[in-house]
Amino acid sequence: MTQRTRIKICCISSLAEAEMAIAAGADALGMVAAAPPGSGQVDDATIRAITAEVPPPIATFLLSSHLTGLAIADHLRHCGASTIQIVDHIDPSEIAVLAVALPAVRRVQVIHVEGPSALELIPRYEPYVHAFLLDSGKPGGTMRELGGTGRTHDWDVSRAFVKATRRPVFLAGGLTPLNVGEAIARVRPFGVDLCSGVRTGGRLDPVKLDAFVAAVRAA
């Protein structure tokens, strides 16, 4: 049987955007907290207002750049999301602390694919998370990027990552209605995730959103 590719729409900034994404066929919504550098940030009160209204089985992802398990747990309690998307390459021991503090919350580790060395992070994180998300950020250096870049990365590395891990993998980074079919064919991810590719002037665009969902389903 062919597994359906899940769709996560990120940078959700209001309940209206959440409702639009769900109506279009999104399986999960991502809310970017104010802390991570990047695009689409919203305040915690707005995130909580969104997560309180999202119906099951839609997953709500909180994107947090906190570096300790206890800080992430406090952030989750305040925002009410069902899933944590850890956007930085933090110490795995902190994810273990989070797992004890909030065992019911699903844990997704972002891996920023800067080259084949991304595969070396699989054994580091795999025992502590429920899924991975491959993105195109640059966590090192003075100009740190932790997502929302609008750039693609090397999909051959992503494909190798999918084959090497036993965890589900979401693919992100520069996806659009025009390239997501090729991305799915090459990488074979569990799901796809995007922010800027379905937006116009920073706002969720229903035409682009419908085109993206249709392209995923066609793939």
Side-chain angles (χ1 to χ4, degrees):
M1 294 177 62
T2 300
Q3 179 173 282
R4 178 177 66 85
T5 304
R6 272 60 169 189
I7 298 172
K8 174 174 171 279
I9 304 299
C10 203
C11 306
I12 296 296
S13 63
S14 67
L15 185 56
E17 285 198 349
E19 291 170 343
M20 184 190 304
I22 293 169
D27 300 287
L29 309 176
M31 277 72 67
V32 184
S39 61
Q41 299 99 331
V42 291
D43 59 77
D44 288 354
T46 300
I47 294 174
R48 186 169 185 85
I50 295 170
T51 60
E53 296 297 328
V54 172
I58 307 300
T60 53
F61 284 55
L62 172 66
L63 278 69
S64 175
S65 63
H66 286 295
L67 301 179
T68 69
L70 292 179
I72 294 170
D74 286 343
H75 199 182
L76 276 161
R77 291 188 188 101
H78 188 65
C79 292
S82 64
T83 303
I84 181 66
Q85 182 172 321
I86 304 168
V87 300
D88 210 341
H89 294 167
I90 72 172
D91 192 308
S93 65
E94 296 298 338
I95 307 179
V97 170
L98 173 62
V100 173
L102 292 177
V105 171
R106 304 293 87 182
R107 301 177 297 277
V108 177
Q109 176 65 49
V110 173
I111 302 295
H112 298 286
V113 181
E114 298 183 81
S117 61
L119 277 73
E120 298 172 7
L121 296 176
I122 293 175
R124 175 177 170 86
Y125 288 113
E126 192 175 65
Y128 304 98
V129 300
H130 300 95
F132 287 107
L133 188 147
L134 305 181
D135 208 346
S136 304
K138 294 182 178 180
T142 56
M143 297 295 291
R144 301 176 74 240
E145 294 178 307
L146 299 177
T149 67
R151 298 191 306 266
T152 59
H153 53 259
D154 188 340
W155 289 340
D156 289 336
V157 174
S158 296
R159 180 180 177 87
F161 194 104
V162 169
K163 288 183 175 181
T165 181
R166 54 193 177 89
R167 300 299 189 196
V169 176
F170 288 85
L171 178 67
L175 298 179
T176 71
L178 298 178
N179 68 9
V180 70
E182 179 187 356
I184 291 171
R186 287 178 59 181
V187 179
R188 301 293 183 182
F190 172 82
V192 290
D193 172 56
L194 83 169
C195 173
S196 59
V198 286
R199 293 183 176 272
T200 300
R203 296 179 179 273
L204 196 59
D205 186 321
V207 175
K208 291 180 179 179
L209 181 60
D210 287 344
F212 184 81
V213 172
V216 173
R217 289 174 174 165

